[in-house]
Amino acid sequence: MGRTGNEVQNCYFLKHSNSDTQELGEQEEGKCWGQYCSMSKWAFLPIILTSGAIIGLWSVYGISIANASVNATAKFPYISACGSYPPQSCIFSQILNLGAFLMVWVILIRYQQVKESDGHCVLNTIALIAGVLCALGMSIVGNFQQVHVRVVHLIGAFLAFVIGVIYFWLQTVLMFKVKPQHGGCYLKLIRIVLCIICTVLIITMAVLHNIRLKSMAAKCEWTAAMGLMLLFGLFAVEFRHIEGHSYKIKNKKRTNQPTEKQASTMNDGIGLPC
C-alpha cells in the first residue's frame, strides 16, 4: 500500500531529526575530547620531569657499574659518586641541568596556579623562592662534582634535598588553601606521606653518614631522591586542569617623547642665524 503525504513527511522528519541528533552528539563528543586534550596537556610536564630524572639517574648508575667507576658490591654508591667520573659525569650534568630547567618551569606554573586559585599569600611566594633554590641546588650538584669541588657540591645537595623537602611541605599547606582542590583527600594523603618519608630519609642519611655507615646512607639518599621526584610528578593531578599559561611583558610608557605634531612645530620654530 502507498503512504500518504503526511506519513512520508513524518518519516523524513524522523530520519532528518535522528541525523541531526547524531551529528550534534558527534560534535559534542569532539568538543569534549578537544577540551580534555587541551586541559590535560600540561599534566605531561611534571610527568616528563619525574620519569626523565629517574631514568637518567639510574642510567648513570648503570654506566658507572659497567665501567667499574664504582663498586656497588663493596659499598653502595652515593648518587654523586656515580656521576663523578667520565663519561657518565657528562650525562649526569646534562640530566640535572635539564631537570633543573623543567623544575623551574613546573614551580612557576604551580606558583601562578595557586595565585589565581584564591590561595595566594606570602607562603606562596616563599614556596616559589624555595622551589627555585631547590632547582639551583640540583644544577650545582650536576656541575660541581664532589671529587673536584666538594664544598660547593655539598651546598648544592643541601639546597636540592633540604630546601626541596621544605618546598613540598609548603605546597602541602597551600594545597588546603587552593579552591577548587583537585585530587581530593587521596592526593593530600599521598603528598603528606611522601613528605614525611623524604624528611625522615634525609635526616637518617645525615646521621648514618656521620657515623660512617655510608652504604646505608647512600640508599637513603637514592630513596629520598626518588621520593622528591615523585612529589614533582604529583603536580600532574593539578596541572591537568590548566588550559594554558603565559607570561606577559608590559613596556614602560614614554611620557616625555614629543608627538609628530609637536616635533613639526619645534622644527618650524628653529631659525638659522643671520
Side-chain angles (χ1 to χ4, degrees):
M1 294 178 63
R3 297 185 179 181
T4 63
N6 291 333
E7 290 178 347
V8 173
Q9 185 176 2
N10 290 335
C11 290
Y12 173 78
F13 176 75
L14 290 174
K15 183 178 181 181
H16 187 68
S17 299
N18 291 333
S19 177
D20 289 346
T21 304
Q22 184 178 1
E23 290 178 0
L24 183 61
E26 291 176 355
Q27 290 177 0
E28 290 295 331
E29 182 180 358
K31 183 178 179 181
C32 293
W33 174 251
Q35 289 178 349
Y36 176 79
C37 292
S38 176
M39 292 170 64
S40 301
K41 62 183 180 180
W42 294 107
F44 289 104
L45 186 60
I47 293 174
I48 292 172
L49 168 60
T50 298
S51 58
I54 292 175
I55 293 172
L57 290 177
W58 284 108
S59 298
V60 169
Y61 171 81
I63 296 171
S64 65
I65 294 294
N67 60 20
S69 297
V70 296
N71 187 357
T73 305
K75 182 177 66 174
F76 193 81
Y78 287 99
I79 298 173
S80 302
C82 296
S84 296
Y85 302 99
Q88 65 267 18
S89 60
C90 305
I91 302 172
F92 183 69
S93 299
Q94 190 67 10
I95 289 170
L96 294 191
N97 285 331
L98 289 173
F101 168 74
L102 291 176
M103 196 179 291
V104 171
W105 195 357
V106 169
I107 290 165
L108 288 173
I109 294 177
R110 180 57 180 167
Y111 167 80
Q112 193 67 23
Q113 185 184 31
V114 174
K115 184 178 180 180
E116 297 183 6
S117 301
D118 297 331
H120 182 61
C121 57
V122 178
L123 202 63
N124 191 29
T125 304
I126 296 174
L128 173 65
I129 297 171
V132 173
L133 289 175
C134 174
L136 176 62
M138 186 174 180
S139 179
I140 291 174
V141 168
N143 292 294
F144 296 88
Q145 281 79 22
Q146 65 170 353
V147 294
H148 302 298
V149 196
R150 184 176 178 82
V151 175
V152 179
H153 180 87
L154 291 176
I155 292 173
F158 174 83
L159 293 174
F161 283 96
V162 178
I163 304 300
V165 170
I166 292 174
Y167 169 73
F168 282 109
W169 275 117
L170 293 174
Q171 287 298 326
T172 303
V173 176
L174 289 171
M175 188 169 54
F176 290 91
K177 295 179 175 291
V178 173
K179 296 179 182 180
Q181 296 180 1
H182 303 297
C185 297
Y186 295 105
L187 180 62
K188 296 176 183 177
L189 181 61
I190 293 172
R191 187 165 284 164
I192 291 172
V193 170
L194 284 175
C195 284
I196 294 172
I197 291 174
C198 289
T199 303
V200 173
L201 285 171
I202 291 171
I203 296 173
T204 306
M205 175 187 67
V207 173
L208 292 174
H209 180 80
N210 289 329
I211 62 176
R212 304 298 178 181
L213 296 176
K214 294 187 177 180
S215 291
M216 295 298 296
K219 293 177 182 178
C220 290
E221 182 192 44
W222 277 94
T223 310
M226 298 302 106
L228 289 173
M229 289 300 104
L230 289 176
L231 282 167
F232 273 106
L234 285 178
F235 282 135
V237 178
E238 286 101 350
F239 283 15
R240 69 178 296 271
H241 299 278
I242 298 175
E243 185 175 356
H245 78 94
S246 63
Y247 291 91
K248 298 181 181 179
I249 296 176
K250 186 176 181 181
N251 293 322
K252 186 177 180 180
K253 295 181 179 180
R254 298 182 179 180
T255 56
N256 297 328
Q257 186 175 0
T259 62
E260 294 182 0
K261 185 176 180 180
Q262 291 174 341
S264 177
T265 305
M266 290 172 63
N267 292 333
D268 292 342
I270 296 175
L272 296 175
C274 298

